[in-house]
Amino acid sequence: MRWFLLLASLLIVLPAAADTLSGMVTAIHDGDTLTLVDKDKKRHRIRLAEIDAPERKQPYGAKSRNSLAEICFHKPAVVETTETDSYGRVIGKVSCAGVDASAEQVRRGMAWVFARSTLPNSPLPEMEANARLRKLGLWAGEKPEPPWKWRERHAAAAKK
């Protein structure tokens, strides 16, 4: 019976375990998306989990992209994958040379916390509140527009 319980608990835990990718960051697309090349030279487009950064053409988009480049470009990275999005990008928790890229982007005021995907007990909401209070990065602006609203507004304008 003990073996059965052990086996059953492993079967419950194992499917929930995330895959891990590792390699070198070779491209930064925007403030929350990068390309990682693994040891087999396979390219993986990675979307940082738990955050949403300004779009490239949005105010602070270039600064956010440059910030992620400082954190990750040409550095070794480890990605704990969580899922794949509708664009085929891997979504995951990214650590570049030991630095949590999502947390660092939020701490610098270069990204919003993506509330729908934030894990319980995550330090990110508090980091965002601190960046807002200190008027860091995009929070230095008058009224920063969240990227999901910016995308929605631009999609509606394109339909007209």
Side-chain angles (χ1 to χ4, degrees):
M1 183 65 164
R2 188 182 307 168
W3 285 104
F4 175 75
L5 291 174
L6 179 62
L7 182 59
S9 65
L10 284 174
L11 291 174
I12 292 169
V13 172
L14 288 177
D19 287 332
T20 301
L21 298 171
S22 61
M24 186 66 65
V25 175
T26 59
I28 304 295
H29 303 282
D30 59 23
D32 58 25
T33 307
L34 53 79
T35 296
L36 177 131
V37 176
D38 67 20
K39 65 179 174 30
D40 297 324
K41 307 292 186 220
K42 183 175 179 190
R43 303 171 82 73
H44 303 271
R45 193 157 177 146
I46 311 292
R47 171 78 159 62
L48 276 62
E50 300 186 80
I51 68 169
D52 200 359
E55 296 296 326
R56 290 178 93 167
K57 293 181 180 179
Q58 187 177 354
Y60 283 91
K63 289 181 181 180
S64 180
R65 180 177 182 264
N66 290 340
S67 175
L68 185 57
E70 286 177 13
I71 299 164
C72 292
F73 190 54
H74 285 162
K75 294 183 181 172
V78 176
V79 181
E80 292 177 35
T81 67
T82 57
E83 60 186 301
T84 302
D85 70 10
S86 59
Y87 300 104
R89 299 175 297 187
V90 171
I91 299 175
K93 184 175 173 78
V94 178
S95 176
C96 297
V99 175
D100 179 332
S102 292
E104 188 61 16
Q105 281 290 80
V106 171
R107 189 188 68 74
R108 293 178 177 195
M110 292 296 159
W112 278 259
V113 174
F114 197 54
R116 286 191 322 207
S117 66
T118 305
L119 300 171
N121 301 319
S122 171
L124 295 182
E126 187 175 330
M127 290 175 160
E128 181 182 300
N130 186 43
R132 284 178 186 243
L133 284 172
R134 295 178 57 210
K135 298 194 181 301
L136 298 176
L138 60 93
W139 305 114
E142 287 264 334
K143 201 173 181 185
E145 182 177 24
W148 54 91
K149 288 186 179 178
W150 188 89
R151 288 188 294 266
E152 185 178 287
R153 188 168 51 82
H154 281 75
K159 288 181 181 180
K160 290 182 181 180

